[in-house]
């Protein structure tokens, strides 16, 4: 629990942000050479690489689905990504996050276009400073686009927390650990579709309602950054094509 | 491929029925199935409960073990929730296979119990920085007929509420168990988990196995409350599951519905076990 | 080793039983909804659930046998079933018991009726208070009957121990741990077939002979209870069929 | 399927021969194959033995390690028997696969040694409740030509009987090894395991690999005796194995036969190693 | 089978080109690809570096943890190198599968760093015999376009050279972290690993992925040197890899070539990070 | 590090050998009954059994190679083979040695004669006293011959170390642990082929050149012993055939 205050009297958080301000977010698309699609995100100090392999033959074969592609997500944290050295064996937390991230991204993918194949989404958290699942989902959407996989919409994601009794947008590590609650959401704006929603901590029903509003606005902001990144990436690709 | 056609047909039936507020087993959309709670059936455990919700059966046992504290909370004991899928609970479980479903189940139940602060873990400390009680809450899934999360959450809660903890005394270098059992350090807060399934555009409380096979997604919401004090009612955990989605309006409706159902389930728990330990 | 006496001077054991008296044994048949057959037993404080799956397709396929069904047994103890919390990872003891239980039940099953299939017997010990393998085998016989699998005979099982120098029937936990020996046997009465026999501890050859006699009598008593349970179960099933 | 026809033919041959008291390798039904015992071949171990029974070869090594006592026996050291199947011992062993056969083998050998009380484990305690000697008895199955249990039991027994234990001295907070080797705390009791196979209605001592492929079941019986004192002869472990059965009369005959054979094997052991340590 | 024909054709091309001293990507046989070194990119680690050699990318992080010393070196800390293959680094890596290639990679990098004695592990001791620093050097393979060993060795070296160690103070029974960061106990020695691939009768420095697919074998040679003192130049580790062979003359040529290339790479490292810590 | 000297002033090592003298080496061929080929070596106190299975069907099948046999080597140390009790779980060292031993032997085998099959080389170190990989490779060559697998040449192997500043041939355990370097090599003399080469420790380039010379001579000596062992083995086999 917090002993020092995390939000100053004039509403400034311990990293200088306002209550509803996002950290600096930088997406890079197409950064890996051995994948079908990839993206890198720096989200404040959080740094994540995502690689997509597929659609490709399912292995082992009996896992293939007759009418659609099988999507798998693997969320892993590098041993040096957190304060204390982490064993590389996947923790129960990593297992759960792999599941909810897969379920957050699946509704966006036209899996029915690729029956009997697998799409594997590999997420490597190089440095973790809060909201890694949100950053991972947002970057993975871009990696899927980079892989040329048709999608219903991008999935944008962000978290709202309660810190010193106030709701704040885009929770970083210190706020997550010392704050009162954490509530990440993933959202497809064009579908009004909540594809991930989790919460832990204590909030009133009224705070829940306000959180949902903030999450929606935050997701739209991330969505805009994702679209900017795609535009920038394809502009570069195009101009380099023209040069060629 | 016929295996995948059956769910499609079933889903259509279930959605059509739901348009007139009905379900295949005769319940209304917001009804739970019958709930049976047996307290203390495993008398070798420090606490235990079996919950049978419809045909779904979970036995939870609480055991204490002396262990090391976590480095960042040297003065607190540890509550640890785990889930085991016994292979006869469903033809789909294979023995010895680690399962993300079991991991998610345990972690969702864990968050509901933990975040409510129903248990004061600082009272589980034996020697600060050195030795603490590890309180295992182990959930054994014995029969799976749908809605494992709510059944397991109830079983875990009741097992915990029925538990007594062993008394330990530090004697110089060693710890001595006196053989006495002490009351658990409960706060009177009771968290209740309620799972709603979305199928088509309807929400279904307490989904059956058949309904789970065809759902879009589920939302599990834990509400906590201290005793009868309705003003203390708060959300303490949420988890959306499965590969579909809800709209924001559906999420809001689900939370409202979960609040109502949590009160019903909390009454049931209070009638079975002393919520103050 | 015992410091207090486990048997009183007038031949009463520490749980009130006589030397050759069984604990209270209660069998329930058909208690699970997702199995092909199931049974539950309370045997004193020992509580065990058994579920049978099969005959069903062998998986992986190369394990299938061309001329008969493959039988597997999985004996597991719940983490809370014993005094000290038990890790859910199977111990070497659970591995050995799974093997001897499978071998105790196999001779009773007409496996040749179901070539290329598997019959899996899952045993979950919810509470252990001695003689769990005997209780498990006896209940598993009933679960096999419930699954409609044709059998040569029921397998009944019980243990004899040596406690304070005397042979006692149906060993419970305290007698097992503090006593001088433990000798479980499984038996098909109609075939005079010993399908499980183990012993640890020290006994003379004369005590061995007497133990065998007691085991045979004890198994016959368990056998009677098993048949009663089957009769009761089918009477109930029948009458509920008539009602329907 | 031809693979399964061969055993059927073999079984018939073996049973027919046995009717005239004979076996395919010329032995009588109660004969053991030739037994070679090599003591101390692994001189880096605290004790070691290789036993070659017919073609079956097991090397056992004894190593000491300082460890924690079990909570329920704080003043006793630990003897721990394990078995490893080296993959070249049989075409059927796969590398890295845990095997119930190895587990059963180790546990049967363990029970024979342990229940006989040949070793006084209280003498393996270094500091009560804190530090004890763990005495590893590891059985390496190097060539499998039948009757692993008896071969491994003999190898484990001989390795143990040939062992010396390191001397440890408690100095304040730490333990110092003096480098001296002490005699082991043996009681003079020697347990011997004898395995009988039932094929048809006959009992076969020391079954060969070929006989094991077609047997109904086996019964392993351990008899212990202190020195030459035949009055101290007692059973200390039994294990029925494999999926067939014996009648009660066959069990009784098997125990009688095992008693006789155990005396022969005990003499052999006594001639190779000092049974008092 | 076509999958195996392509390498045969490629190998022919590569060998023919090499006869005129050329490679498919325009390099000479002794050229390295472009090397980018980023220091300190993981600021939560005590030391970190990312090395991009051609397209091959490895991020190394150094983390300290308090642990037990090895029994045979009670007064020394522990440096531990491990390698993780992130599955997106190559279509051939499968998640969760332990891999002998990763084990070999980690151990080769480990030997180069360790045998050079660049780090004085006795200075990583906190309390002799009781508590020492474990210095994890973890290599994450993020993109594999050939010559993992040299890339990983450079990344590990640079991460280590950029690291600071936490200050720990013994207070009675416990250890307190002051929060201060101390310089690492470096000796000024820098080991550099150079890998040569043999394809046909030529040696290729810094083999690309394509070249690795068709090579006969590789030889990795680590040369160490203290500062600018060329007289201190020595070999400190070697490893031949893959299923072909070299003649003794080729081995000698490879060592000579590795010496030259190691000087180039050492200059590059010196320009990026202070080799004295 | 050495506190006492390992080499006396008149050039005698602590086990009585001269600088360039091998330990006593004894090869035995065809010692196991359940393999296709086997060999046993006592190399000073180092004792190793090697069994070869194959060529046989690959398992699982998808590992089979279309144009040649797949070779695998498994190097394992018995729990009692070293000073401290060793857990039977394979260590990272055993994993690496399995790989380099496989790569040291592969160039010698005509794998192209046996497409789609597997040849498995199982190595069990019963007692380890230095240079176990060299002894294992040298013995495995003989086991391959015993299995009737056609080979280009025998692979002979030995190590050179630096001890008290001097290069010594055939490093034993104490010299390996307390010495300054260890450099094992495997060699096919008739091909002038170095199939294994490793080094750790510090040596000058001049010492490297001298080491290579010593290694070559040492390998030739081992090679001679291997050929003697084969000759002796086939002489015995022949004469026992004649007797039959």
């Amino acid at each position: 629990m917090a002993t020092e205050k995390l939000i100053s009297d004039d509403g400034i958080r311990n990293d200088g942000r306002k209550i509803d301000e996002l950290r600096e977010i930088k997406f890079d698309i197409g950064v890996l050479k051995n994948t079908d699609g990839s993206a890198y995100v720096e989200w404040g100090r959080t740094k994540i690489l995502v690689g997509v392999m597929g659609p490709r033959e399912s292995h082992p074969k009996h896992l293939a689905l007759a009418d659609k592609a099988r999507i798998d997500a693997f969320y892993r944290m590098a041993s040096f990504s957190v304060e204390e050295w982490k064993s590389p064996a996947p923790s129960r937390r990593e297992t759960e996050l792999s599941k909810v991230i897969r379920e957050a991204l699946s509704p966006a993918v036209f899996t029915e276009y690729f029956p009997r194949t697998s799409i594997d989404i590999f997420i490597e958290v190089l440095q973790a400073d809060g909201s890694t699942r949100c950053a991972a989902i947002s970057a993975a959407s871009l990696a899927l686009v980079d892989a040329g996989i048709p999608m219903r919409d991008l999935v944008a994601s962000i978290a709202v927390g309660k810190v010193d009794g106030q709701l704040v947008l885009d929770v970083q590590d210190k706020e997550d650990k010392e704050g009162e609650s954490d509530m990440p959401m993933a959202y497809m704006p064009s579908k009004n579709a909540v594809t991930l929603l989790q919460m832990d901590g204590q909030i009133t029903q009224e705070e829940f309602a306000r959180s949902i509003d903030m999450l929606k606005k935050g997701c739209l902001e991330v969505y805009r950054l994702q679209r900017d990144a795609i535009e920038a990436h394809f502009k570069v690709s195009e101009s380099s094509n023209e040069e060629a | 491929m016929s295996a995948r056609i059956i769910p499609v047909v079933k889903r259509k039936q279930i959605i059509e029925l739901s348009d007139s507020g009905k379900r295949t087993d005769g319940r209304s959309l917001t009804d739970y199935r019958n709930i049976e709670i047996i307290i203390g059936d495993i008398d070798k455990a420090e606490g235990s409960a079996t919950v049978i919700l419809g045909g779904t059966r979970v036995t939870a046992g609480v055991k204490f073990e002396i262990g090391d504290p976590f480095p960042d909370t040297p003065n607190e004991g540890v509550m640890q929730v785990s889930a085991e899928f016994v292979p006869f609970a469903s033809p789909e479980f294979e023995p010895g296979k680690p399962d993300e479903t079991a991991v998610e189940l345990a972690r969702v139940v864990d968050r509901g119990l933990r975040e409510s602060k129903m248990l004061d873990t600082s009272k589980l400390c034996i020697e600060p920085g050195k030795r603490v009680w590890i309180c295992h809450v182990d959930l054994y899934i014995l029969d799976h007929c749908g809605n494992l999360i709510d059944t397991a959450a109830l079983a875990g809660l009741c097992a915990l509420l029925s538990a007594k903890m062993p008394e330990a005394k530090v004697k110089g270098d060693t710890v001595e168990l006196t053989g006495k059992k002490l009351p658990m350090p409960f706060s009177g807060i009771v968290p209740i988990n309620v799972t709603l399934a979305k199928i088509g555009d309807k929400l279904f409380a307490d989904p059956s196995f058949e309904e789970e096979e065809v759902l879009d997604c589920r939302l599990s919401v834990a509400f906590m409350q201290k005793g009868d004090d309705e003003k203390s009612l708060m959300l303490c955990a949420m988890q959306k599951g499965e590969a579909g989605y809800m709209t924001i309006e559906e999420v809001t409706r689900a939370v409202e519905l979960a609040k109502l159902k949590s009160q019903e389930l909390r009454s049931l728990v209070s009638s079975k076990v002393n919520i103050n330990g």
Side-chain angles (χ1 to χ4, degrees), chain A residues 165-185:
Chain A
Q166 296 183 57
L167 298 177
V168 301
L169 189 63
D170 187 16
V171 181
Q172 28 92 327
D173 197 35
K174 198 177 169 66
E175 292 171 338
D176 182 16
K177 284 195 185 127
E178 302 181 6
E180 291 119 66
S181 75
D182 182 28
M183 180 168 164
M185 179 169 106

Side-chain angles (χ1 to χ4, degrees), chain A residues 66-68 92-93 95-96 99-100 102-103 106-107 162 185 187-188 191-205 207-208 212 216, chain B residues 1 4 81-82 100 103-104 106-107 111 115-117 218-219 224 234-249 251 255-256 259:
Chain A
D67 54 353
K68 59 180 180 181
R92 303 199 324 160
R93 181 180 168 276
T95 301
E96 186 200 350
K99 180 177 189 291
V100 297
R102 181 186 74 223
E103 293 168 354
S106 295
K162 190 162 127 195
M185 179 169 106
Y187 189 61
M188 283 196 287
K191 299 274 172 189
N192 186 26
V194 176
T195 65
L196 173 139
L197 186 62
Q198 296 184 288
M199 202 274 287
D200 61 71
Q202 304 190 352
I203 56 172
T204 65
Q205 212 179 339
E207 287 168 336
F208 166 74
I212 286 281
K216 189 172 164 183
Chain B
M1 273 175 77
R4 298 194 58 82
V81 178
S82 80
E100 63 168 24
V103 170
E104 187 196 23
R107 285 178 58 85
R111 282 200 287 270
E115 298 296 338
S116 74
K117 305 208 166 71
R218 58 174 154 77
L219 188 67
M224 53 173 264
M234 289 181 99
L235 286 101
C236 63
M238 294 179 64
Q239 180 90 346
K240 178 254 173 187
E242 304 311 322
Y245 63 82
M246 284 188 181
T247 64
I248 282 185
E249 295 68 36
V251 167
V255 168
E256 189 58 37
K259 186 176 70 178

Side-chain angles (χ1 to χ4, degrees), chain B residues 44-60:
Chain B
K44 286 201 170 187
E46 272 79 44
S48 65
T50 294
V51 173
I52 304 164
L53 173 59
T56 296
R57 173 195 290 251
V58 175
T59 295

Side-chain angles (χ1 to χ4, degrees), chain B residues 80-105:
Chain B
Q80 201 159 293
V81 178
S82 80
E84 292 291 320
F85 281 179
V86 175
F88 54 57
S90 161
E92 281 155 42
F93 299 160
E94 279 173 48
K97 234 189 152 179
D99 192 343
E100 63 168 24
T101 316
V103 170
E104 187 196 23
L105 177 65

Side-chain angles (χ1 to χ4, degrees), chain B residues 97-150:
Chain B
K97 234 189 152 179
D99 192 343
E100 63 168 24
T101 316
V103 170
E104 187 196 23
L105 177 65
R107 285 178 58 85
V108 169
V109 171
D110 181 294
R111 282 200 287 270
L113 298 175
R114 182 182 309 279
E115 298 296 338
S116 74
K117 305 208 166 71
M118 64 176 286
L119 181 68
D120 182 355
T121 49
S122 71
K123 300 270 168 60
L124 303 185
C125 182
I126 299 172
E127 248 188 304
K130 282 199 178 163
R131 270 182 275 234
V132 299
W133 282 117
I134 297 169
C135 172
H136 293 279
V137 181
D138 292 333
L139 310 166
Y140 275 70
I141 314 303
L142 300 173
D143 222 347
H144 178 11
C145 301
N147 201 6
L148 283 182
I149 293 180
D150 292 0

Side-chain angles (χ1 to χ4, degrees), chain A residues 108-120:
Chain A
V109 178
F110 282 100
T111 50
E112 54 272 38
Y113 289 12
F114 308 104
R116 303 197 164 280
T117 69
S118 278
I119 298 171
D120 292 320

